[in-house]
Amino acid sequence: MQLYKNQHIKVYNSLTGKKETFEPITEGYVGMYVCGPTVYSNVHLGNVRTFMSFDMVFRYLKHLGYKVRYVRNITDAGHLENDADIGEDKITKKARLEEIEPMEIVQRYTVDFHNVINTFNLLPPSIEPTATGHIIEQIELISTIINNGFAYEVNGSVYFDVHKYNKINNYGILSKRKLEDLIHNTRVLDGQSDKKNPQDFALWKKAEATHIMRWPSPWSDGFPGWHLECTAMSTKYLGEQFDIHGGGMDLKFPHHECEIAQNQAAKGKAPVNYWMHANMLELNGSRMSKSTGNYINPAELLSGKNDILSKPYNPNVVRFFMMQAAYRSILDLTDTGLLASEKGFNRLMNAVNDLDNLKASNTSSFDVKTWKQTCYDAMNDDFNTPILIANLFEAVNHINAIKEGNTTISSEDLEYFTNALHTFVFELLGLNNAKDSAEGTEKLSGAVELLIKLRQEARANKDFALSDQIRDELAEVGITLNDSREGTTFSTN
Protein backbone atom coordinates (compact mmCIF):
# COMPACT_ATOMS: atom_id res chain seq x y z
CA MET A 1 0.00 0.00 0.00
CA GLN A 2 1.26 3.48 -0.88
CA LEU A 3 2.27 5.64 2.08
CA TYR A 4 0.10 8.55 0.92
CA LYS A 5 -2.97 6.52 1.79
CA ASN A 6 -1.99 6.68 5.47
CA GLN A 7 -0.01 9.92 5.61
CA HIS A 8 -2.30 12.88 4.91
CA ILE A 9 -0.60 16.18 4.10
CA LYS A 10 -1.87 19.62 5.03
CA VAL A 11 -0.65 22.30 2.59
CA TYR A 12 -0.81 26.05 3.15
CA ASN A 13 -2.62 27.35 0.09
CA SER A 14 -1.72 30.96 -0.73
CA LEU A 15 -4.95 31.21 -2.69
CA THR A 16 -7.18 30.63 0.34
CA GLY A 17 -4.75 31.73 3.06
CA LYS A 18 -5.14 28.55 5.10
CA LYS A 19 -3.90 24.99 5.43
CA GLU A 20 -5.88 22.48 3.43
CA THR A 21 -5.80 18.70 3.15
CA PHE A 22 -3.86 17.86 0.01
CA GLU A 23 -6.00 15.94 -2.47
CA PRO A 24 -4.50 15.60 -5.95
CA ILE A 25 -6.73 15.83 -9.01
CA THR A 26 -5.87 12.24 -9.94
CA GLU A 27 -5.25 9.79 -7.11
CA GLY A 28 -1.62 8.75 -6.92
CA TYR A 29 -0.40 11.43 -9.33
CA VAL A 30 0.84 14.96 -8.65
CA GLY A 31 1.54 17.71 -11.16
CA MET A 32 3.83 20.43 -9.79
CA TYR A 33 5.16 23.52 -11.57
CA VAL A 34 7.80 25.83 -10.09
CA CYS A 35 8.98 29.08 -11.68
CA GLY A 36 12.65 28.67 -12.56
CA PRO A 37 15.45 31.19 -13.06
CA THR A 38 15.86 33.95 -15.62
CA VAL A 39 19.35 33.10 -16.85
CA TYR A 40 21.02 36.48 -17.26
CA SER A 41 23.27 36.35 -14.17
CA ASN A 42 24.57 33.97 -11.51
CA VAL A 43 21.79 32.36 -9.52
CA HIS A 44 20.84 34.32 -6.39
CA LEU A 45 21.17 32.59 -3.01
CA GLY A 46 17.55 33.51 -2.28
CA ASN A 47 16.53 31.63 -5.44
CA VAL A 48 18.54 28.65 -4.22
CA ARG A 49 16.44 28.63 -1.06
CA THR A 50 13.22 28.64 -3.10
CA PHE A 51 14.34 25.78 -5.35
CA MET A 52 15.64 23.85 -2.33
CA SER A 53 12.26 24.22 -0.62
CA PHE A 54 10.43 22.72 -3.56
CA ASP A 55 13.09 20.04 -3.93
CA MET A 56 12.14 19.02 -0.39
CA VAL A 57 8.44 19.00 -1.35
CA PHE A 58 9.24 16.93 -4.46
CA ARG A 59 11.25 14.45 -2.39
CA TYR A 60 8.49 13.99 0.18
CA LEU A 61 5.73 13.51 -2.38
CA LYS A 62 7.84 10.90 -4.20
CA HIS A 63 8.62 9.19 -0.88
CA LEU A 64 4.92 8.87 -0.10
CA GLY A 65 4.48 6.98 -3.34
CA TYR A 66 3.00 9.65 -5.59
CA LYS A 67 4.04 9.63 -9.21
CA VAL A 68 5.17 13.25 -9.51
CA ARG A 69 5.68 15.24 -12.69
CA TYR A 70 7.77 18.20 -11.57
CA VAL A 71 8.16 20.95 -14.16
CA ARG A 72 10.59 23.83 -13.55
CA ASN A 73 11.20 26.23 -16.42
CA ILE A 74 14.20 28.15 -17.67
CA THR A 75 13.41 31.74 -18.72
CA ASP A 76 15.79 32.26 -21.63
CA ALA A 77 13.73 34.89 -23.48
CA GLY A 78 14.49 37.78 -21.19
CA HIS A 79 11.55 39.68 -19.80
CA LEU A 80 11.83 43.44 -19.57
CA GLU A 81 13.69 45.25 -16.82
CA ASN A 82 11.72 45.67 -13.60
CA ASP A 83 9.11 43.33 -15.15
CA ALA A 84 7.57 46.34 -16.90
CA ASP A 85 6.37 46.68 -20.49
CA ILE A 86 9.01 49.19 -21.55
CA GLY A 87 12.79 49.13 -21.67
CA GLU A 88 15.30 46.45 -22.61
CA ASP A 89 15.09 42.82 -21.63
CA LYS A 90 17.59 41.58 -19.07
CA ILE A 91 19.31 38.98 -21.25
CA THR A 92 19.74 41.32 -24.21
CA LYS A 93 21.09 44.08 -21.97
CA LYS A 94 23.75 41.72 -20.55
CA ALA A 95 24.62 40.53 -24.06
CA ARG A 96 25.09 44.12 -25.24
CA LEU A 97 27.34 44.93 -22.29
CA GLU A 98 29.54 41.93 -22.99
CA GLU A 99 29.25 42.19 -26.81
CA ILE A 100 28.20 38.59 -27.27
CA GLU A 101 25.10 36.74 -28.47
CA PRO A 102 22.16 36.57 -26.03
CA MET A 103 22.22 32.77 -26.21
CA GLU A 104 25.81 32.82 -24.99
CA ILE A 105 24.53 34.60 -21.90
CA VAL A 106 21.74 32.03 -21.59
CA GLN A 107 24.15 29.10 -21.93
CA ARG A 108 26.67 30.48 -19.44
CA TYR A 109 24.15 31.14 -16.69
CA THR A 110 22.10 28.01 -17.31
CA VAL A 111 25.27 26.00 -16.73
CA ASP A 112 25.99 28.06 -13.61
CA PHE A 113 22.46 27.44 -12.33
CA HIS A 114 22.76 23.69 -12.79
CA ASN A 115 26.21 23.60 -11.19
CA VAL A 116 24.97 25.49 -8.13
CA ILE A 117 21.84 23.44 -7.53
CA ASN A 118 23.79 20.21 -8.06
CA THR A 119 26.24 21.39 -5.41
CA PHE A 120 23.34 21.63 -2.96
CA ASN A 121 22.08 18.17 -3.96
CA LEU A 122 18.79 19.19 -5.60
CA LEU A 123 17.07 16.50 -7.66
CA PRO A 124 16.50 17.38 -11.33
CA PRO A 125 12.90 18.14 -12.29
CA SER A 126 10.95 15.76 -14.50
CA ILE A 127 10.87 18.37 -17.28
CA GLU A 128 12.87 21.59 -17.61
CA PRO A 129 11.32 23.48 -20.55
CA THR A 130 12.64 26.77 -21.92
CA ALA A 131 10.67 29.84 -22.95
CA THR A 132 12.36 29.98 -26.37
CA GLY A 133 11.41 26.36 -26.98
CA HIS A 134 7.72 27.19 -26.58
CA ILE A 135 7.17 30.31 -28.67
CA ILE A 136 4.55 28.55 -30.83
CA GLU A 137 2.53 27.56 -27.76
CA GLN A 138 2.69 31.11 -26.46
CA ILE A 139 1.49 32.57 -29.78
CA GLU A 140 -1.40 30.09 -29.83
CA LEU A 141 -2.31 31.05 -26.28
CA ILE A 142 -2.35 34.75 -27.16
CA SER A 143 -4.62 34.07 -30.14
CA THR A 144 -7.06 32.22 -27.88
CA ILE A 145 -7.12 35.06 -25.35
CA ILE A 146 -7.74 37.61 -28.13
CA ASN A 147 -10.54 35.48 -29.60
CA ASN A 148 -12.14 35.23 -26.15
CA GLY A 149 -12.16 39.01 -25.91
CA PHE A 150 -9.62 39.55 -23.12
CA ALA A 151 -6.71 40.99 -25.11
CA TYR A 152 -6.17 43.64 -27.76
CA GLU A 153 -3.47 44.51 -30.31
CA VAL A 154 -1.96 47.97 -30.68
CA ASN A 155 0.86 48.75 -33.13
CA GLY A 156 2.07 45.15 -33.21
CA SER A 157 1.96 44.59 -29.45
CA VAL A 158 -0.73 42.63 -27.62
CA TYR A 159 -1.97 43.50 -24.12
CA PHE A 160 -4.15 41.68 -21.63
CA ASP A 161 -7.25 43.72 -20.79
CA VAL A 162 -7.24 43.58 -16.99
CA HIS A 163 -10.29 45.82 -16.56
CA LYS A 164 -12.47 43.75 -18.91
CA TYR A 165 -11.27 40.55 -17.27
CA ASN A 166 -12.04 41.92 -13.80
CA LYS A 167 -15.68 42.56 -14.72
CA ILE A 168 -16.20 38.80 -14.96
CA ASN A 169 -13.39 37.39 -12.80
CA ASN A 170 -11.37 38.56 -9.81
CA TYR A 171 -8.02 40.04 -10.77
CA GLY A 172 -6.28 39.96 -7.40
CA ILE A 173 -7.69 36.67 -6.14
CA LEU A 174 -4.21 35.38 -5.21
CA SER A 175 -2.50 38.53 -3.95
CA LYS A 176 -5.70 39.86 -2.32
CA ARG A 177 -5.24 43.18 -4.12
CA LYS A 178 -8.19 45.11 -5.48
CA LEU A 179 -8.06 46.57 -8.96
CA GLU A 180 -9.53 49.81 -7.62
CA ASP A 181 -6.54 50.21 -5.30
CA LEU A 182 -4.12 49.43 -8.11
CA ILE A 183 -5.77 52.11 -10.24
CA HIS A 184 -5.59 54.63 -7.42
CA ASN A 185 -1.88 53.98 -6.84
CA THR A 186 -0.87 54.01 -10.51
CA ARG A 187 0.87 57.03 -11.94
CA VAL A 188 -0.25 57.63 -15.54
CA LEU A 189 2.49 58.67 -17.96
CA ASP A 190 0.75 60.19 -20.98
CA GLY A 191 2.02 59.18 -24.37
CA GLN A 192 4.48 56.58 -23.11
CA SER A 193 2.34 53.47 -23.57
CA ASP A 194 -0.03 51.94 -26.09
CA LYS A 195 -2.01 50.26 -23.31
CA LYS A 196 -5.64 51.18 -22.68
CA ASN A 197 -5.00 51.10 -18.95
CA PRO A 198 -1.76 51.16 -16.94
CA GLN A 199 -2.73 47.89 -15.22
CA ASP A 200 -2.86 45.94 -18.51
CA PHE A 201 0.16 43.74 -19.13
CA ALA A 202 1.96 42.62 -22.28
CA LEU A 203 1.29 39.26 -23.87
CA TRP A 204 3.41 40.09 -26.93
CA LYS A 205 5.76 43.02 -27.55
CA LYS A 206 6.74 44.32 -30.96
CA ALA A 207 10.52 44.35 -31.15
CA GLU A 208 12.32 47.58 -31.81
CA ALA A 209 14.84 47.56 -34.65
CA THR A 210 17.71 47.05 -32.21
CA HIS A 211 16.06 44.26 -30.22
CA ILE A 212 18.06 41.08 -30.80
CA MET A 213 15.75 38.34 -29.49
CA ARG A 214 12.68 38.32 -31.77
CA TRP A 215 10.30 35.88 -33.41
CA PRO A 216 7.63 36.21 -36.13
CA SER A 217 3.99 36.30 -35.04
CA PRO A 218 0.61 37.31 -36.55
CA TRP A 219 1.03 40.74 -34.93
CA SER A 220 4.71 41.60 -35.42
CA ASP A 221 8.25 40.39 -35.14
CA GLY A 222 8.61 40.49 -31.40
CA PHE A 223 8.80 38.50 -28.21
CA PRO A 224 6.39 37.15 -25.58
CA GLY A 225 5.57 38.80 -22.28
CA TRP A 226 7.17 37.33 -19.19
CA HIS A 227 3.98 36.03 -17.55
CA LEU A 228 2.89 34.14 -20.64
CA GLU A 229 5.59 31.49 -20.76
CA CYS A 230 4.67 29.86 -17.46
CA THR A 231 1.00 29.59 -18.42
CA ALA A 232 1.92 28.01 -21.76
CA MET A 233 4.45 25.53 -20.39
CA SER A 234 2.67 24.54 -17.19
CA THR A 235 -0.59 23.72 -18.97
CA LYS A 236 1.19 21.94 -21.84
CA TYR A 237 2.92 19.47 -19.54
CA LEU A 238 0.51 19.32 -16.60
CA GLY A 239 -2.90 19.98 -18.16
CA GLU A 240 -5.35 22.88 -17.99
CA GLN A 241 -5.68 22.25 -14.25
CA PHE A 242 -2.93 20.82 -12.07
CA ASP A 243 -2.14 20.34 -8.41
CA ILE A 244 0.71 22.60 -7.19
CA HIS A 245 2.27 25.80 -8.46
CA GLY A 246 5.28 27.04 -6.51
CA GLY A 247 7.67 29.95 -6.52
CA GLY A 248 9.15 32.71 -4.43
CA MET A 249 6.94 35.06 -2.43
CA ASP A 250 8.02 37.91 -4.71
CA LEU A 251 6.31 36.24 -7.67
CA LYS A 252 2.84 36.22 -6.13
CA PHE A 253 2.12 39.62 -7.71
CA PRO A 254 2.13 40.33 -10.54
CA HIS A 255 3.53 37.15 -12.07
CA HIS A 256 1.33 34.47 -10.54
CA GLU A 257 -1.70 36.74 -10.51
CA CYS A 258 -1.27 37.21 -14.25
CA GLU A 259 -0.88 33.47 -14.77
CA ILE A 260 -4.27 32.88 -13.17
CA ALA A 261 -5.86 35.60 -15.32
CA GLN A 262 -4.34 34.24 -18.53
CA ASN A 263 -5.53 30.71 -17.85
CA GLN A 264 -9.03 31.86 -16.91
CA ALA A 265 -9.20 34.00 -20.04
CA ALA A 266 -7.97 31.22 -22.32
CA LYS A 267 -9.41 28.07 -20.73
CA GLY A 268 -12.26 29.39 -18.59
CA LYS A 269 -10.92 27.71 -15.46
CA ALA A 270 -8.46 28.30 -12.62
CA PRO A 271 -5.19 26.52 -13.43
CA VAL A 272 -3.98 25.47 -9.98
CA ASN A 273 -5.50 23.94 -6.85
CA TYR A 274 -2.66 24.73 -4.42
CA TRP A 275 -0.45 27.80 -4.71
CA MET A 276 2.71 27.55 -2.57
CA HIS A 277 5.21 30.35 -1.94
CA ALA A 278 8.63 30.16 -0.32
CA ASN A 279 9.66 33.20 1.68
CA MET A 280 12.72 35.38 1.25
CA LEU A 281 16.27 34.95 2.47
CA GLU A 282 17.77 37.90 4.34
CA LEU A 283 21.42 38.57 5.17
CA ASN A 284 22.28 39.79 8.69
CA GLY A 285 18.74 41.04 9.27
CA SER A 286 18.41 43.05 6.06
CA ARG A 287 17.27 42.45 2.53
CA MET A 288 19.99 41.10 0.23
CA SER A 289 21.00 43.79 -2.24
CA LYS A 290 24.01 44.16 -4.51
CA SER A 291 23.56 47.94 -4.54
CA THR A 292 24.00 48.21 -0.75
CA GLY A 293 26.75 45.61 -0.52
CA ASN A 294 24.59 43.40 1.72
CA TYR A 295 24.94 40.49 -0.65
CA ILE A 296 26.67 37.14 -0.99
CA ASN A 297 26.40 34.62 -3.82
CA PRO A 298 26.60 30.82 -3.46
CA ALA A 299 30.22 30.60 -4.64
CA GLU A 300 31.34 33.20 -2.10
CA LEU A 301 29.44 31.42 0.66
CA LEU A 302 31.02 28.05 -0.10
CA SER A 303 34.55 29.33 -0.76
CA GLY A 304 34.74 31.76 2.15
CA LYS A 305 35.94 34.49 -0.22
CA ASN A 306 33.77 37.26 1.19
CA ASP A 307 33.88 39.99 3.82
CA ILE A 308 30.63 38.95 5.52
CA LEU A 309 31.18 35.46 6.95
CA SER A 310 34.05 34.17 9.07
CA LYS A 311 34.76 31.00 7.08
CA PRO A 312 33.66 28.83 4.16
CA TYR A 313 30.71 26.51 4.69
CA ASN A 314 30.04 23.06 3.31
CA PRO A 315 26.97 22.76 1.02
CA ASN A 316 25.54 20.20 3.44
CA VAL A 317 25.73 22.71 6.26
CA VAL A 318 24.03 25.37 4.15
CA ARG A 319 21.26 22.97 3.18
CA PHE A 320 20.83 21.89 6.79
CA PHE A 321 20.68 25.57 7.82
CA MET A 322 17.94 26.28 5.29
CA MET A 323 15.94 23.21 6.29
CA GLN A 324 15.92 24.42 9.90
CA ALA A 325 13.43 27.12 8.92
CA ALA A 326 9.93 26.52 7.55
CA TYR A 327 9.77 27.31 3.86
CA ARG A 328 7.11 30.01 4.46
CA SER A 329 9.24 31.81 7.05
CA ILE A 330 11.73 34.60 6.38
CA LEU A 331 15.20 33.14 6.96
CA ASP A 332 18.08 35.35 8.11
CA LEU A 333 21.48 34.15 6.90
CA THR A 334 24.09 34.95 9.56
CA ASP A 335 27.51 33.68 10.50
CA THR A 336 26.21 32.77 13.94
CA GLY A 337 23.35 30.78 12.44
CA LEU A 338 25.63 28.93 10.02
CA LEU A 339 28.12 28.08 12.76
CA ALA A 340 25.31 26.68 14.91
CA SER A 341 24.02 24.67 11.96
CA GLU A 342 27.51 23.33 11.30
CA LYS A 343 27.71 22.01 14.86
CA GLY A 344 24.22 20.58 14.61
CA PHE A 345 24.94 18.92 11.27
CA ASN A 346 28.16 17.34 12.60
CA ARG A 347 26.34 16.10 15.69
CA LEU A 348 23.64 14.54 13.52
CA MET A 349 26.18 12.90 11.18
CA ASN A 350 28.17 11.52 14.09
CA ALA A 351 25.03 9.95 15.50
CA VAL A 352 24.10 8.44 12.15
CA ASN A 353 27.60 6.98 11.84
CA ASP A 354 27.29 5.53 15.36
CA LEU A 355 24.25 3.47 14.33
CA ASP A 356 26.48 0.78 12.81
CA ASN A 357 28.25 0.26 16.13
CA LEU A 358 25.25 0.16 18.46
CA LYS A 359 24.76 -3.02 20.44
CA ALA A 360 21.29 -4.48 20.26
CA SER A 361 19.50 -5.84 23.32
CA ASN A 362 16.61 -8.23 23.78
CA THR A 363 14.12 -5.40 24.33
CA SER A 364 13.65 -1.73 23.48
CA SER A 365 13.10 0.91 26.12
CA PHE A 366 11.68 3.51 23.74
CA ASP A 367 8.96 3.34 21.10
CA VAL A 368 10.70 3.60 17.72
CA LYS A 369 7.49 3.44 15.67
CA THR A 370 5.90 6.30 17.58
CA TRP A 371 9.04 8.38 17.04
CA LYS A 372 8.91 7.66 13.31
CA GLN A 373 5.29 8.78 13.08
CA THR A 374 6.15 12.08 14.79
CA CYS A 375 8.59 12.68 11.94
CA TYR A 376 5.84 12.02 9.40
CA ASP A 377 3.46 14.24 11.37
CA ALA A 378 5.95 17.10 11.03
CA MET A 379 6.25 16.68 7.27
CA ASN A 380 2.50 16.24 6.90
CA ASP A 381 2.00 19.63 8.58
CA ASP A 382 2.86 21.75 5.52
CA PHE A 383 6.34 20.21 5.21
CA ASN A 384 7.49 21.41 8.64
CA THR A 385 11.20 20.64 8.42
CA PRO A 386 12.14 22.48 11.67
CA ILE A 387 9.94 20.11 13.68
CA LEU A 388 11.27 17.15 11.71
CA ILE A 389 14.84 18.18 12.60
CA ALA A 390 13.86 18.55 16.27
CA ASN A 391 12.61 14.96 16.14
CA LEU A 392 15.87 13.88 14.49
CA PHE A 393 17.81 15.34 17.41
CA GLU A 394 15.56 13.38 19.73
CA ALA A 395 16.82 10.34 17.82
CA VAL A 396 20.41 11.56 18.38
CA ASN A 397 19.73 11.62 22.14
CA HIS A 398 18.45 8.04 21.97
CA ILE A 399 21.54 6.93 20.03
CA ASN A 400 23.85 8.50 22.62
CA ALA A 401 21.84 6.94 25.45
CA ILE A 402 22.15 3.50 23.82
CA LYS A 403 25.92 4.01 23.45
CA GLU A 404 26.18 4.85 27.15
CA GLY A 405 24.03 1.90 28.19
CA ASN A 406 21.21 4.02 29.55
CA THR A 407 18.70 2.92 26.90
CA THR A 408 18.18 -0.38 25.10
CA ILE A 409 17.02 -1.26 21.61
CA SER A 410 16.22 -4.66 20.12
CA SER A 411 17.90 -5.81 16.90
CA GLU A 412 14.59 -5.58 15.03
CA ASP A 413 13.96 -2.04 16.25
CA LEU A 414 17.56 -1.05 15.53
CA GLU A 415 17.17 -2.01 11.87
CA TYR A 416 13.81 -0.19 11.72
CA PHE A 417 15.31 2.85 13.46
CA THR A 418 18.35 2.93 11.15
CA ASN A 419 16.24 2.74 7.99
CA ALA A 420 13.89 5.45 9.23
CA LEU A 421 16.69 7.81 10.23
CA HIS A 422 18.43 7.35 6.89
CA THR A 423 15.16 8.05 5.09
CA PHE A 424 14.49 11.34 6.85
CA VAL A 425 18.08 12.60 6.86
CA PHE A 426 19.24 11.64 3.39
CA GLU A 427 16.19 10.95 1.24
CA LEU A 428 13.87 13.70 2.48
CA LEU A 429 16.15 16.46 3.82
CA GLY A 430 18.55 15.78 0.94
CA LEU A 431 21.74 15.80 3.01
CA ASN A 432 24.68 13.82 1.68
CA ASN A 433 25.10 10.41 3.19
CA ALA A 434 27.10 9.66 6.30
CA LYS A 435 29.62 7.61 4.38
CA ASP A 436 30.50 10.57 2.19
CA SER A 437 30.83 12.74 5.29
CA ALA A 438 33.07 10.17 6.89
CA GLU A 439 35.23 9.96 3.77
CA GLY A 440 35.46 13.75 3.74
CA THR A 441 36.52 13.69 7.40
CA GLU A 442 39.16 11.07 6.60
CA LYS A 443 40.59 13.21 3.80
CA LEU A 444 40.56 16.26 6.07
CA SER A 445 42.40 14.31 8.76
CA GLY A 446 45.10 13.28 6.29
CA ALA A 447 45.61 16.88 5.14
CA VAL A 448 45.74 18.27 8.68
CA GLU A 449 48.13 15.52 9.85
CA LEU A 450 50.48 16.51 7.03
CA LEU A 451 50.36 20.15 8.17
CA ILE A 452 50.99 19.06 11.77
CA LYS A 453 54.09 17.18 10.56
CA LEU A 454 55.32 20.24 8.64
CA ARG A 455 54.71 22.38 11.73
CA GLN A 456 56.73 19.98 13.90
CA GLU A 457 59.61 20.15 11.41
CA ALA A 458 59.41 23.95 11.45
CA ARG A 459 59.57 24.01 15.24
CA ALA A 460 62.52 21.59 15.22
CA ASN A 461 64.30 23.98 12.85
CA LYS A 462 63.36 26.91 15.14
CA ASP A 463 61.23 28.40 12.36
CA PHE A 464 58.61 29.56 14.82
CA ALA A 465 57.12 32.07 12.38
CA LEU A 466 56.11 29.24 10.01
CA SER A 467 54.95 27.11 12.94
CA ASP A 468 52.69 29.88 14.21
CA GLN A 469 51.44 30.62 10.70
CA ILE A 470 50.29 27.01 10.20
CA ARG A 471 48.54 27.03 13.61
CA ASP A 472 46.88 30.43 13.04
CA GLU A 473 45.69 29.80 9.50
CA LEU A 474 44.18 26.45 10.50
CA ALA A 475 42.40 28.24 13.35
CA GLU A 476 40.95 30.75 10.88
CA VAL A 477 39.15 27.94 9.03
CA GLY A 478 37.88 26.34 12.25
CA ILE A 479 40.62 23.77 12.93
CA THR A 480 42.25 24.02 16.36
CA LEU A 481 45.61 22.38 17.08
CA ASN A 482 46.03 20.99 20.59
CA ASP A 483 49.64 20.51 21.76
CA SER A 484 50.42 18.11 24.62
CA ARG A 485 53.26 15.88 25.85
CA GLU A 486 51.86 13.04 23.78
CA GLY A 487 51.93 15.11 20.58
CA THR A 488 49.60 17.35 18.62
CA THR A 489 45.95 16.60 17.89
CA PHE A 490 43.30 18.70 16.22
CA SER A 491 39.61 19.43 16.56
CA THR A 492 37.09 21.20 14.30
CA ASN A 493 34.80 23.96 15.52
Side-chain angles (χ1 to χ4, degrees):
M1 189 166 83
Q2 301 292 352
L3 284 174
Y4 65 77
K5 294 185 177 180
N6 289 329
Q7 305 295 338
H8 304 293
I9 306 173
K10 291 272 191 180
V11 175
Y12 182 86
N13 191 347
S14 297
L15 190 65
T16 61
K18 60 183 180 181
K19 291 181 184 178
E20 300 174 355
T21 300
F22 178 67
E23 296 180 357
I25 294 170
T26 303
E27 184 181 345
Y29 293 81
V30 176
M32 182 170 76
Y33 185 91
V34 173
C35 292
T38 301
V39 283
Y40 71 99
S41 65
N42 296 108
V43 62
H44 191 285
L45 197 57
N47 296 141
V48 171
R49 188 206 178 187
T50 294
F51 302 134
M52 190 182 293
S53 295
F54 288 102
D55 176 72
M56 173 270 297
V57 172
F58 180 40
R59 287 170 177 270
Y60 189 58
L61 293 172
K62 283 167 59 73
H63 170 73
L64 292 185
Y66 288 110
K67 184 173 183 180
V68 185
R69 176 174 287 178
Y70 174 21
V71 182
R72 186 187 64 214
N73 70 300
I74 295 286
T75 297
D76 60 347
H79 54 82
L80 300 181
E81 290 187 273
N82 302 317
D83 308 327
D85 292 330
I86 57 174
E88 190 171 24
D89 79 71
K90 298 177 180 181
I91 292 173
T92 298
K93 181 177 181 180
K94 192 67 174 283
R96 287 190 190 284
L97 289 172
E98 300 196 18
E99 297 182 338
I100 59 177
E101 284 289 328
M103 280 301 162
E104 290 184 68
I105 295 294
V106 166
Q107 179 66 15
R108 176 193 303 171
Y109 293 114
T110 300
V111 170
D112 170 75
F113 170 68
H114 287 145
N115 287 341
V116 169
I117 61 173
N118 288 340
T119 298
F120 290 108
N121 198 30
L122 274 67
L123 299 176
S126 313
I127 304 172
E128 193 173 52
T130 63
T132 57
H134 295 78
I135 299 296
I136 292 175
E137 289 85 351
Q138 293 178 75
I139 290 173
E140 291 174 347
L141 184 60
I142 295 170
S143 296
T144 300
I145 295 173
I146 290 174
N147 292 337
N148 290 347
F150 292 106
Y152 56 92
E153 183 266 335
V154 180
N155 296 328
S157 293
V158 181
Y159 298 98
F160 190 94
D161 194 332
V162 170
H163 287 240
K164 188 172 182 180
Y165 171 83
N166 195 60
K167 290 178 181 178
I168 302 172
N169 300 280
N170 179 6
Y171 184 76
I173 190 171
L174 178 65
S175 61
K176 309 300 183 282
R177 304 188 186 200
K178 294 182 179 180
L179 183 57
E180 295 78 11
D181 295 334
L182 295 174
I183 295 170
H184 178 73
N185 293 321
T186 300
R187 180 185 175 195
V188 178
L189 300 176
D190 292 336
Q192 294 193 22
S193 176
D194 291 328
K195 297 188 289 186
K196 291 180 181 178
N197 303 287
Q199 295 76 34
D200 296 347
F201 57 89
L203 299 176
W204 186 265
K205 287 291 291 182
K206 180 181 179 180
E208 301 294 335
T210 56
H211 198 96
I212 303 172
M213 302 183 80
R214 57 204 297 147
W215 293 266
S217 79
W219 314 285
S220 65
D221 280 3
F223 52 96
W226 170 41
H227 311 304
L228 192 69
E229 64 179 89
C230 288
T231 299
M233 291 187 284
S234 63
T235 54
K236 175 173 181 175
Y237 296 110
L238 299 175
E240 294 181 358
Q241 289 184 301
F242 55 96
D243 299 299
I244 297 173
H245 193 314
M249 195 75 74
D250 58 316
L251 297 180
K252 185 183 291 187
F253 186 88
H255 186 52
H256 291 161
E257 197 74 71
C258 293
E259 283 191 59
I260 293 174
Q262 289 166 164
N263 209 77
Q264 285 277 16
K267 315 291 185 181
K269 59 184 71 173
V272 181
N273 284 350
Y274 303 91
W275 285 91
M276 297 177 64
H277 292 93
N279 217 323
M280 69 179 68
L281 181 69
E282 293 184 341
L283 180 59
N284 291 327
S286 301
R287 183 176 180 270
M288 278 201 197
S289 172
K290 287 185 178 179
S291 61
T292 63
N294 193 53
Y295 180 82
I296 185 171
N297 66 32
E300 292 168 338
L301 172 62
L302 300 179
S303 68
K305 295 179 180 179
N306 62 82
D307 298 325
I308 297 173
L309 303 175
S310 64
K311 55 175 286 185
Y313 289 96
N314 185 283
N316 269 306
V317 171
V318 178
R319 180 162 185 136
F320 185 67
F321 169 78
M322 292 189 177
M323 291 292 103
Q324 285 182 291
Y327 76 92
R328 289 194 294 118
S329 300
I330 294 174
L331 176 59
D332 188 17
L333 182 73
T334 66
D335 201 46
T336 301
L338 286 166
L339 287 169
S341 290
E342 185 174 58
K343 291 180 180 178
F345 172 77
N346 290 335
R347 182 172 172 234
L348 180 60
M349 289 299 104
N350 289 337
V352 171
N353 290 333
D354 285 340
L355 283 168
D356 293 335
N357 301 317
L358 292 185
K359 293 183 179 180
S361 302
N362 293 327
T363 60
S364 297
S365 55
F366 75 99
D367 191 336
V368 179
K369 292 184 178 179
T370 297
W371 168 83
K372 182 179 178 180
Q373 186 56 48
T374 63
C375 293
Y376 277 118
D377 290 343
M379 291 298 289
N380 292 339
D381 183 16
D382 195 32
F383 311 98
N384 198 327
T385 53
I387 299 300
L388 170 63
I389 289 172
N391 291 331
L392 295 181
F393 279 112
E394 181 184 343
V396 171
N397 292 335
H398 285 305
I399 291 170
N400 292 333
I402 294 168
K403 282 175 58 180
E404 295 167 3
N406 298 326
T407 302
T408 60
I409 189 169
S410 68
S411 57
E412 181 181 354
D413 280 351
L414 179 57
E415 182 179 1
Y416 184 89
F417 186 40
T418 300
N419 290 337
L421 196 58
H422 280 225
T423 294
F424 290 112
V425 172
F426 306 130
E427 181 183 338
L428 301 185
L429 288 182
L431 303 173
N432 282 334
N433 66 48
K435 180 181 178 182
D436 290 340
S437 297
E439 289 175 353
T441 301
E442 184 177 343
K443 292 176 182 178
L444 174 65
S445 297
V448 175
E449 291 295 343
L450 175 60
L451 289 170
I452 289 174
K453 183 178 179 181
L454 292 174
R455 179 169 174 262
Q456 289 171 338
E457 291 176 358
R459 295 173 76 180
N461 294 328
K462 300 188 184 301
D463 188 351
F464 298 113
L466 177 58
S467 170
D468 291 346
Q469 182 183 0
I470 292 173
R471 179 199 64 204
D472 294 343
E473 292 193 10
L474 284 173
E476 286 182 7
V477 295
I479 299 172
T480 302
L481 298 185
N482 305 299
D483 296 318
S484 67
R485 291 182 180 179
E486 289 74 28
T488 301
T489 60
F490 75 94
S491 58
T492 56
N493 300 327

